[in-house]
Amino acid sequence: TKALTETNRKIHKYNDAASKVRDRVWQKILSQRNRSFTSNSNTLCLGSTRIGKVAKAFESVATTSKLKRGAGIIKTPELLQACRVFSKAMKEIGQDAVAKDLEKNVRKLDKVYQSAPKEIRNSLRSLLEYEKNNCGSRLNNKRLKDPSAAMGGLWIQRSLSFNSDFYSGILAERRKPSDAALAAYKRQLEPFHGWTLRRLYKLSLGSLTPPSQKEAFRRMGGFSSTDDSFGAMEEKAARRDIQYAVRVWNPLLKSWKSLYRDLDLEDNRRV
């Protein structure tokens, strides 16, 4: 009888412990479901991730009716604001050096924007034409003046071209983001960099780029690394908004490059 009583006591104790474990598991499952429902309604809609907010900002930069043919009007104040949003996002991702370089070129463009007549400064074309005709955009050796709005705009375009190429590589290829970054760098920036900048950029891209595709999506999406809130739905939202940014940037960049050719403001020297 004593043995039976002891056995029953152990069974009850085991059942109580199992019940507590079961309760904790269910609480965790319910918590994750609630977080997922909240994410679906508040976080996972188009343009709501970190990179999605950047894409939204750039979506308002140019008129869309002729943009795909390279003839859209690029609006200067919207462009400056979108670049500031992008710079903030890059700092949050950990790309401080790239953000500072972008900000430096935004200041060059903004300085001429602030001093130009209000009736002509709101389109990038008219602002660059104003600088070219009234201030001179080139030096006697035909190089663009630096600082100038033309030089600032040229390097902003190159920076965005690099990021669009880099993001496309992350989306399309199952390889390390650092490899995609280096490939984009070789295509978009390396031809204009001297030996010192090439070395610095390659070292930086190799060490500071996220180590995996999933980690790149997490950072670009703006999801925390301190909990388990980055699941399949969050990764899908980040991927979708990276695609959104590339879709917005590509026709804008096409129009931008066409504008610089029309105004003869290309400068292929290395820095």
Side-chain angles (χ1 to χ4, degrees):
T1 304
K2 288 183 179 180
L4 184 59
T5 302
E6 181 63 19
T7 300
N8 288 335
R9 187 185 67 79
K10 288 181 178 180
I11 291 172
H12 286 306
K13 185 177 180 180
Y14 172 81
N15 287 338
D16 287 343
S19 179
K20 289 178 181 179
V21 170
R22 200 162 47 243
D23 288 344
R24 285 198 298 270
V25 170
W26 273 111
Q27 286 174 2
K28 187 173 182 179
I29 291 172
L30 290 172
S31 176
Q32 288 175 337
R33 285 180 177 175
N34 289 334
R35 185 161 57 239
S36 296
F37 293 146
T38 302
S39 294
N40 278 331
S41 59
N42 298 326
T43 306
L44 301 184
C45 56
L46 180 66
S48 58
T49 66
R50 177 180 285 152
I51 189 60
K53 291 173 184 175
V54 172
K56 271 191 172 181
F58 275 98
E59 196 168 35
S60 64
V61 165
T63 56
T64 57
S65 57
K66 299 179 180 180
L67 193 57
K68 290 185 178 179
R69 300 199 300 273
I73 297 172
I74 300 173
K75 296 175 280 188
T76 317
E78 285 82 357
L79 172 61
L80 291 168
Q81 177 57 25
C83 287
R84 294 184 184 109
V85 172
F86 189 34
S87 174
K88 180 175 181 291
M90 284 194 291
K91 287 179 179 177
E92 292 169 346
I93 291 170
Q95 297 177 329
D96 286 5
V98 179
K100 288 179 180 178
D101 190 56
L102 177 62
E103 289 169 354
K104 177 183 69 176
N105 289 301
V106 168
R107 286 194 295 271
K108 294 175 186 178
L109 183 60
D110 188 45
K111 183 176 180 181
V112 178
Y113 171 77
Q114 295 296 338
S115 62
K118 291 183 178 180
E119 61 272 15
I120 61 94
R121 69 183 187 179
N122 286 334
S123 108
L124 185 60
R125 174 181 286 276
S126 58
L127 180 66
L128 293 174
E129 286 175 339
Y130 166 81
E131 181 184 59
K132 185 177 181 180
N133 296 330
N134 293 277
C135 310
S137 299
R138 292 190 182 274
L139 300 169
N140 291 334
N141 60 6
K142 304 301 181 182
R143 291 181 172 182
L144 290 181
K145 288 181 179 179
D146 192 12
S148 66
M151 183 61 82
L154 179 63
W155 279 102
I156 293 169
Q157 176 263 113
R158 286 172 178 170
S159 177
L160 293 178
S161 294
F162 161 73
N163 279 283
S164 182
D165 195 334
F166 170 38
Y167 292 177
S168 296
I170 292 176
L171 291 167
E173 301 174 22
R174 287 285 180 179
R175 61 177 182 174
K176 291 195 301 184
S178 58
D179 292 339
L182 287 169
Y185 172 75
K186 287 180 180 179
R187 285 190 289 266
Q188 303 298 339
L189 294 176
E190 188 176 56
F192 313 109
H193 283 174
W195 184 87
T196 302
L197 272 180
R198 287 184 185 190
R199 184 171 177 81
L200 287 173
Y201 263 77
K202 287 179 180 179
L203 286 172
S204 176
L205 291 172
S207 60
L208 297 179
T209 306
S212 66
Q213 187 187 60
K214 184 172 182 177
E215 177 63 12
F217 289 162
R218 186 193 67 75
R219 292 188 196 178
M220 292 178 188
F223 297 101
S224 173
S225 61
T226 59
D227 56 35
D228 57 355
S229 63
F230 187 65
M233 288 187 296
E234 288 79 11
E235 183 176 344
K236 184 177 180 181
R239 177 188 287 273
R240 178 206 59 210
D241 279 0
I242 293 170
Q243 292 172 330
Y244 176 24
V246 171
R247 285 199 309 271
V248 169
W249 278 336
N250 283 348
L252 170 63
L253 290 166
K254 182 178 179 181
S255 185
W256 203 327
K257 292 173 184 177
S258 176
L259 169 60
Y260 265 66
R261 287 193 297 270
D262 290 349
L263 298 180
D264 189 27
L265 292 176
E266 294 286 350
D267 188 337
N268 295 325
R269 61 175 157 162
R270 291 181 176 178
V271 297

